[in-house]
Amino acid sequence: MNDNNNIKKIMEPRSIAVIGASSETINLGNQVVYSILKSGYQGKIYPVHPKCKPVHGLKAYPDLYSINKPIDLVFIALNPLATIEVVKMCGRLGIHGIICVSGGFGELGERGKKLEKKLYQIAKENNIIFIGPNTLGIINIEKSLCATFCPLGDLKKGNISMLSQSGGVGYSFLNEIINESLGISKWIGVGNRGTLEFSDYLNYFKDDDNTNVIAIYFEGTDKPREFVEVANEVRQKKPIVVYMVGRSSIAKEAALTHTGSMASSYKIYSDIFDQFGLLKAQSISELVAKCKTLSMAPLPYGSRVGIVTMTAGPSIIAADKLIEKGAKIQQFSKKTISKLQKVLKTKDIFYKNPLDTDGAGFNAGIFGEVIEIILGDPNIDILLPIFSYFENWRFPTPEIINTFKKYRKPIIACYLGTKTQVAEEIEHLHINNIPVYTTVEQAVFGISALIEYNEIRDNAKYR
Amino acid sequence: MNDNNNIKKIMEPRSIAVIGASSETINLGNQVVYSILKSGYQGKIYPVHPKCKPVHGLKAYPDLYSINKPIDLVFIALNPLATIEVVKMCGRLGIHGIICVSGGFGELGERGKKLEKKLYQIAKENNIIFIGPNTLGIINIEKSLCATFCPLGDLKKGNISMLSQSGGVGYSFLNEIINESLGISKWIGVGNRGTLEFSDYLNYFKDDDNTNVIAIYFEGTDKPREFVEVANEVRQKKPIVVYMVGRSSIAKEAALTHTGSMASSYKIYSDIFDQFGLLKAQSISELVAKCKTLSMAPLPYGSRVGIVTMTAGPSIIAADKLIEKGAKIQQFSKKTISKLQKVLKTKDIFYKNPLDTDGAGFNAGIFGEVIEIILGDPNIDILLPIFSYFENWRFPTPEIINTFKKYRKPIIACYLGTKTQVAEEIEHLHINNIPVYTTVEQAVFGISALIEYNEIRDNAKYR
């Protein structure tokens, strides 16, 4: 089943009815309406509640019938039994897209499973597709739409999209996206995956022009084969980075009562992901760090990283961790070294990779000359410049941007400083497709993801 | 050699002469004077430079002789040969404490090694101790002293002290300290460790009343035995967390040319650290995360963690990773469960650890009642409450503080939200000795460090 067009309809609705939205702010539906409004959504919003009181200034309707206008998406925030009734009504009204935040289904054991089965049956009979149940909702930045029960915040437009099997983890991901000055395209809380599975969403992302990188928080699925088969196709076009849990039996059990999926064997999934060319992350911040570089930097020719720094320690950490992850820290060509000597004018420097420019590199102009020489070296595919904030000296931001424009090889920058000290520089670099990190370990995550994706993308071994 | 009093004199100087401080801001000595002034240091500062022009409004002296006042600390920012001359002069003037930022010594190979040897010999003959050479300097927050060539920024007073074998990594550590709303007590860039070794500094920290936790960035030492022997003593009083590099041969070589220390075998050091009861970190952010909890939370009775959340996913990650690190996620007592049922009033919740309160826990008051019940359970030693930011609902901060005051068992909180959204809550909790993290993986680092330290502190196995 290719549900791309149907998913697209849910993700780009022209009108949304929010069922169960009362006038009180403690009410979930009320919060959903508030979120949709706050995110700047330009379509129609119809709150539905028997009491019919206005919701955040919007006229409310007693039921779906009374709206009497075309509805692309129905958002349901009710108990399981009431949810089923609404779905029946959607069927009668010819509404095909539903987001169901309601819990109380498969994640609550046998009784819930029965209700869930009934829900799916009605949906199927009426050609309805669902996101959820038991989901936080969806976000589509291009449509200024945050249809969740937590408001959007400061999310910017970007090209990273996410599938999350947990509202909380997905929300954490979005917070990290904001902390890292990134943007997103789409975010889907998959919940119990009623009529739509990971594979359906991945197919939708594959054809979505605004999605360049896909992040997944994964607990488990009943359809692992479909998942990896589609993922294997998608990752030839767009990188997929998966964060999964489930090493311990406690986690497995908890996942079962969370979104109704046994977290199966971590080991098995982990091996399958490797085999099918998916990238992995071990934490939310690693997931975001990897997506950052994948979403900005061009693909490199190879895995040879040149490291330039004005403070040695972080470059040693970088070299150590990059080698561990399969990067090559190769020496510069003789020509490069002789050019460097002319610029740095001292014998008190080891002209090696990583290159510690020492005091000379504190000058952003000289630092810029150095990185231009190094990225011009045919032995170097990727550049990692490390520069530290100092009150009276500036960052080599224009130099890095010019060097990138000249060679179009990936530059992944590490700017040491507090978030406040580097915020403005980060904006400049990100606009120019140069990812920048404030710790060297995060930069290494970015570079290693790029190298890994570059290797698997066109490699038949992974097909 | 116990240099505690001498180190103390350097760390708490009543007067500082900065050699090589010109009136130009590009000059290192000039920056050092600026940093010292900016940090609010109350002692005397004497810039020394042949040109004798005022430095940041301070009178400058042509040489050390001309100052003609008692000097506790001489800060040298000159080339190696000039440095040696100044040290001789210090000897003649009876000055015993020096910080030497100058590079060009052991890290530059044979010639540098010879100069370094000479430097140490002169120092020894004159009973002088050194921090450095090749160091960024020192910070002592209690004395409002930042004697480095990068200004202090927004560092607050805290009880974490750091030894860093790299200026850049140490500086990165300080940035993370600021990002995490933490403070420090002392920071020492050990550089090439001329007359003072890790063991000397550790002894000094052991007796320093303001230091409760010691962080180390470690590349290598020529005196590993002294290091671990002293560390083994110190860690019975105060936890030590070590971040080290050197897995790859490139890193080993780079470390050699960085602070003149071969990073020896990573594996050997790693095993020794385990054996002697030191904690380890794999990144700067892990180092800071571990120090955070160790610096605030009381020691627990055991390793049984109770997890309470209003969003399931992050609690599953927490359980998974905590079990991996040796924590116990035990079930609650029957009494606890019956109390929880009275508060949460629903059968649609699994009364298990981790406890997902679901919708009910969105109310901070109810969430507070739940965590009070759980921390009161004699089967629970440590509490991890996970709460997510929502615009219209508040965080359970007062409830968490009251619960902590009632039981005095460690609470390590995880507040999901952007840095801006949670900044104020973090301040409140930190003042009350409740560490709080914005990602669940960081919270796990904190809890696991606490459990690990609790186990090794009084354990004869590690002595």
Side-chain angles (χ1 to χ4, degrees):
Chain A
M1 174 174 70
N2 187 337
D3 279 309
N4 279 11
N5 282 332
N6 291 327
I7 297 179
K8 202 173 150 134
K9 218 168 177 181
I10 293 186
M11 294 299 289
E12 303 176 10
R14 290 160 300 178
S15 55
I16 308 174
V18 182
I19 316 294
S22 85
S23 56
E24 285 161 41
T25 57
I26 190 74
N27 167 276
L28 272 191
N30 179 291
Q31 285 300 306
V32 172
V33 172
Y34 175 74
S35 285
I36 297 174
L37 276 174
K38 203 191 163 194
S39 59
Y41 176 64
Q42 296 296 309
K44 296 280 176 201
I45 312 168
Y46 309 113
V48 175
H49 196 273
K51 284 193 184 151
C52 242
K53 284 188 188 161
V55 180
H56 299 288
L58 293 174
K59 185 190 168 187
Y61 297 79
D63 50 46
L64 272 173
Y65 289 109
S66 328
I67 297 173
N68 211 13
K69 304 232 173 65
I71 299 167
D72 281 348
L73 173 61
V74 171
F75 202 108
I76 311 179
L78 298 172
N79 67 55
L81 287 173
T83 298
I84 290 175
E85 289 312 307
V86 173
V87 177
K88 281 182 189 163
M89 206 180 284
C90 288
R92 284 189 289 256
L93 288 170
I95 297 169
H96 299 292
I98 292 178
I99 293 176
C100 180
V101 295
S102 332
F105 290 99
E107 79 278 12
L108 284 191
E110 277 317 308
R111 196 175 124 263
K113 270 209 184 345
K114 265 187 201 157
L115 288 173
E116 195 168 292
K117 213 170 162 189
K118 194 166 175 192
L119 185 73
Y120 298 166
Q121 203 184 326
I122 297 166
K124 207 178 162 190
E125 282 164 15
N126 291 283
N127 202 19
I128 289 172
I129 59 164
F130 260 106
I131 294 185
N134 193 18
T135 172
L136 187 63
I138 59 148
I139 297 173
N140 180 353
I141 299 284
E142 287 96 29
K143 296 292 167 190
S144 302
L145 174 61
C146 173
T148 75
F149 54 86
C150 65
L152 194 67
D154 309 308
L155 281 173
K156 290 187 300 188
K157 205 174 151 179
N159 58 31
I160 302 167
S161 289
M162 190 206 198
L163 297 176
S164 185
Q165 206 162 355
S166 149
V169 177
Y171 182 65
S172 245
F173 176 85
L174 295 175
N175 292 332
E176 277 297 293
I177 286 280
I178 294 170
N179 287 339
E180 290 295 315
S181 311
L182 292 173
I184 64 156
S185 173
K186 292 167 191 76
W187 183 98
I188 299 175
V190 301
N192 292 13
R193 301 166 327 289
T195 57
L196 295 167
E197 255 299 341
F198 279 104
S199 46
D200 302 307
Y201 294 119
L202 283 175
N203 259 324
Y204 165 65
F205 282 161
K206 186 183 71 181
D207 296 335
D208 177 45
D209 289 338
N210 295 305
T211 297
N212 287 357
V213 180
I214 301 163
I216 301 180
Y217 171 68
F218 181 80
E219 286 181 0
T221 171
D222 304 323
K223 298 180 175 169
R225 175 170 296 275
E226 284 87 335
F227 176 37
V228 289
E229 276 177 2
V230 174
N232 189 37
E233 249 177 66
V234 177
R235 64 94 187 149
Q236 291 166 48
K237 257 180 101 176
K238 302 171 183 186
I240 302 173
V241 192
V242 187
Y243 178 26
M244 73 169 289
V245 289
R247 280 191 166 89
S248 64
S249 60
I250 289 255
K252 279 179 204 164
E253 239 182 79
L256 188 63
T257 60
H258 177 209
T259 50
S261 308
M262 178 61 101
S264 294
S265 165
Y266 179 89
K267 182 76 176 68
I268 291 176
Y269 273 119
S270 181
D271 290 351
I272 292 177
F273 292 164
D274 286 342
Q275 193 186 324
F276 282 85
L278 306 191
L279 279 68
K280 291 183 297 186
Q282 303 298 331
S283 67
I284 292 160
S285 82
E286 183 180 338
L287 182 64
V288 171
K290 289 188 164 174
C291 289
K292 181 190 270 196
T293 286
L294 291 169
S295 76
M296 288 185 202
L299 287 176
Y301 294 107
S303 58
R304 300 164 302 175
V305 184
I307 305 174
V308 183
T309 187
M310 33 72 90
T311 168
S315 75
I316 297 175
I317 293 177
D320 210 30
K321 292 190 183 275
L322 279 168
I323 289 169
E324 213 182 305
K325 291 179 194 300
K328 295 194 187 82
I329 311 292
Q330 218 156 277
Q331 288 321 308
F332 308 126
S333 71
K334 276 189 186 159
K335 207 169 147 191
T336 296
I337 290 174
S338 99
K339 280 187 201 165
L340 288 172
Q341 281 166 334
K342 266 176 214 149
V343 170
L344 290 167
K345 292 176 189 130
T346 166
K347 283 182 181 166
D348 284 357
I349 284 177
F350 291 88
Y351 291 91
K352 295 191 306 189
N353 188 12
L355 179 70
D356 178 11
T357 61
D358 205 34
F362 289 20
N363 179 307
I366 292 175
F367 194 90
E369 288 184 58
V370 169
I371 60 166
E372 200 182 318
I373 293 167
I374 287 176
L375 205 57
D377 187 321
N379 292 329
I380 298 298
D381 303 311
I382 300 167
L383 183 76
L384 168 60
I386 302 173
F387 204 91
S388 186
Y389 171 86
F390 283 104
E391 197 177 304
N392 293 314
W393 305 326
R394 68 170 178 84
F395 278 106
T397 303
E399 286 82 1
I400 289 177
I401 293 170
N402 287 336
T403 304
F404 178 61
K405 284 184 178 158
K406 186 166 173 188
Y407 296 107
R408 287 286 159 193
K409 297 180 189 176
I411 302 183
I412 286 85
C414 178
Y415 274 12
L416 305 176
T418 63
K419 293 278 177 202
T420 325
Q421 287 165 348
V422 295
E424 216 176 292
E425 309 291 331
I426 290 178
E427 292 298 331
H428 285 304
L429 288 168
H430 281 190
I431 288 171
N432 285 283
N433 284 320
I434 297 156
V436 50
Y437 298 85
T438 54
T439 71
V440 72
E441 296 93 349
Q442 295 284 99
V444 167
F445 281 140
I447 295 171
S448 62
L450 193 67
I451 291 173
E452 197 186 343
Y453 182 61
N454 194 44
E455 273 171 18
I456 61 183
R457 199 180 65 110
D458 273 330
N459 197 329
K461 193 180 100 185
Y462 296 96
R463 286 179 197 174
Chain B
M1 174 175 69
N2 186 335
D3 278 311
N4 279 10
N5 282 331
N6 290 328
I7 297 178
K8 200 171 152 138
K9 219 169 174 179
I10 293 185
M11 294 299 288
E12 303 176 9
R14 289 158 302 178
S15 55
I16 309 174
V18 182
I19 316 294
S22 85
S23 55
E24 284 161 43
T25 57
I26 190 74
N27 167 276
L28 271 193
N30 180 292
Q31 284 300 307
V32 173
V33 172
Y34 176 73
S35 283
I36 297 174
L37 276 173
K38 203 193 164 195
S39 58
Y41 175 64
Q42 295 298 308
K44 297 279 177 199
I45 312 168
Y46 308 113
V48 174
H49 195 274
K51 285 193 184 152
C52 243
K53 282 188 188 163
V55 180
H56 298 289
L58 292 174
K59 185 189 168 187
Y61 297 81
D63 50 47
L64 270 174
Y65 288 109
S66 329
I67 298 173
N68 211 14
K69 303 235 171 65
I71 299 167
D72 282 347
L73 172 62
V74 170
F75 202 108
I76 311 178
L78 299 173
N79 66 55
L81 287 173
T83 299
I84 289 174
E85 289 312 307
V86 174
V87 176
K88 281 183 190 163
M89 207 179 284
C90 288
R92 284 190 288 258
L93 289 169
I95 296 169
H96 299 291
I98 292 177
I99 293 176
C100 180
V101 296
S102 334
F105 288 101
E107 79 278 11
L108 284 191
E110 276 317 306
R111 195 175 125 262
K113 270 209 186 342
K114 264 186 202 158
L115 288 173
E116 195 168 292
K117 212 170 163 190
K118 194 166 175 191
L119 184 73
Y120 298 165
Q121 202 183 327
I122 297 165
K124 206 178 164 189
E125 283 165 11
N126 291 283
N127 202 18
I128 288 171
I129 60 164
F130 260 108
I131 294 185
N134 193 19
T135 173
L136 187 63
I138 58 149
I139 297 173
N140 180 353
I141 298 284
E142 286 97 30
K143 295 292 166 190
S144 301
L145 174 61
C146 174
T148 75
F149 53 87
C150 64
L152 194 67
D154 309 309
L155 280 172
K156 291 187 299 188
K157 203 174 150 180
N159 59 31
I160 302 167
S161 289
M162 189 204 201
L163 298 176
S164 184
Q165 206 161 356
S166 150
V169 177
Y171 182 66
S172 245
F173 176 85
L174 295 175
N175 292 332
E176 276 297 293
I177 286 280
I178 293 170
N179 287 339
E180 290 295 315
S181 311
L182 291 173
I184 64 154
S185 173
K186 294 169 189 74
W187 183 98
I188 300 174
V190 302
N192 292 13
R193 301 166 326 290
T195 57
L196 295 167
E197 256 297 341
F198 280 104
S199 46
D200 302 307
Y201 294 119
L202 283 176
N203 260 323
Y204 165 66
F205 281 161
K206 185 182 73 181
D207 296 335
D208 177 44
D209 290 337
N210 296 305
T211 297
N212 287 358
V213 180
I214 301 163
I216 301 179
Y217 171 69
F218 181 80
E219 286 182 358
T221 171
D222 305 322
K223 298 181 176 171
R225 175 170 296 273
E226 284 88 334
F227 177 37
V228 288
E229 276 177 1
V230 174
N232 189 37
E233 250 175 66
V234 177
R235 63 93 187 149
Q236 290 166 48
K237 258 182 101 176
K238 301 170 183 185
I240 302 172
V241 192
V242 187
Y243 177 26
M244 74 169 290
V245 289
R247 278 192 169 90
S248 65
S249 60
I250 289 254
K252 279 180 205 164
E253 237 182 81
L256 187 64
T257 59
H258 177 210
T259 50
S261 306
M262 178 60 101
S264 296
S265 166
Y266 179 88
K267 182 76 176 71
I268 290 176
Y269 274 118
S270 181
D271 289 349
I272 293 178
F273 291 166
D274 285 341
Q275 193 185 325
F276 282 85
L278 306 191
L279 279 69
K280 292 183 296 187
Q282 303 298 332
S283 68
I284 292 161
S285 81
E286 183 180 339
L287 183 63
V288 172
K290 289 189 162 173
C291 288
K292 181 190 270 196
T293 286
L294 291 168
S295 76
M296 288 184 201
L299 287 176
Y301 293 108
S303 58
R304 300 165 303 176
V305 183
I307 306 174
V308 183
T309 188
M310 33 73 88
T311 169
S315 75
I316 298 176
I317 293 178
D320 210 30
K321 293 192 182 272
L322 279 168
I323 288 168
E324 212 182 305
K325 291 179 193 299
K328 295 193 186 82
I329 311 292
Q330 218 156 279
Q331 289 320 309
F332 307 127
S333 70
K334 277 189 185 159
K335 208 169 145 190
T336 295
I337 291 174
S338 101
K339 280 187 202 167
L340 288 171
Q341 280 166 333
K342 267 177 212 149
V343 170
L344 290 168
K345 292 179 188 122
T346 167
K347 282 182 182 166
D348 284 357
I349 284 177
F350 291 89
Y351 290 91
K352 296 191 308 188
N353 188 12
L355 179 70
D356 179 9
T357 61
D358 204 36
F362 289 20
N363 179 306
I366 291 175
F367 194 90
E369 287 184 58
V370 169
I371 59 165
E372 199 183 318
I373 293 167
I374 287 177
L375 205 57
D377 187 321
N379 292 330
I380 297 299
D381 302 312
I382 300 167
L383 182 77
L384 169 60
I386 302 172
F387 204 92
S388 185
Y389 171 86
F390 283 104
E391 199 177 303
N392 293 314
W393 304 326
R394 68 170 178 84
F395 277 107
T397 303
E399 286 81 1
I400 289 177
I401 293 171
N402 287 335
T403 304
F404 178 61
K405 283 186 179 158
K406 187 168 172 185
Y407 295 109
R408 288 285 158 193
K409 296 181 188 175
I411 302 183
I412 286 84
C414 178
Y415 274 11
L416 304 175
T418 64
K419 294 279 178 203
T420 325
Q421 287 165 348
V422 295
E424 217 177 290
E425 310 290 330
I426 291 178
E427 292 297 331
H428 286 304
L429 288 169
H430 281 190
I431 288 171
N432 285 282
N433 285 319
I434 298 157
V436 51
Y437 299 85
T438 54
T439 70
V440 72
E441 296 92 348
Q442 295 284 101
V444 167
F445 282 141
I447 295 172
S448 64
L450 193 67
I451 291 173
E452 196 186 344
Y453 182 60
N454 194 44
E455 273 171 18
I456 61 183
R457 198 181 66 110
D458 273 330
N459 197 329
K461 194 181 98 185
Y462 296 98
R463 285 182 196 170

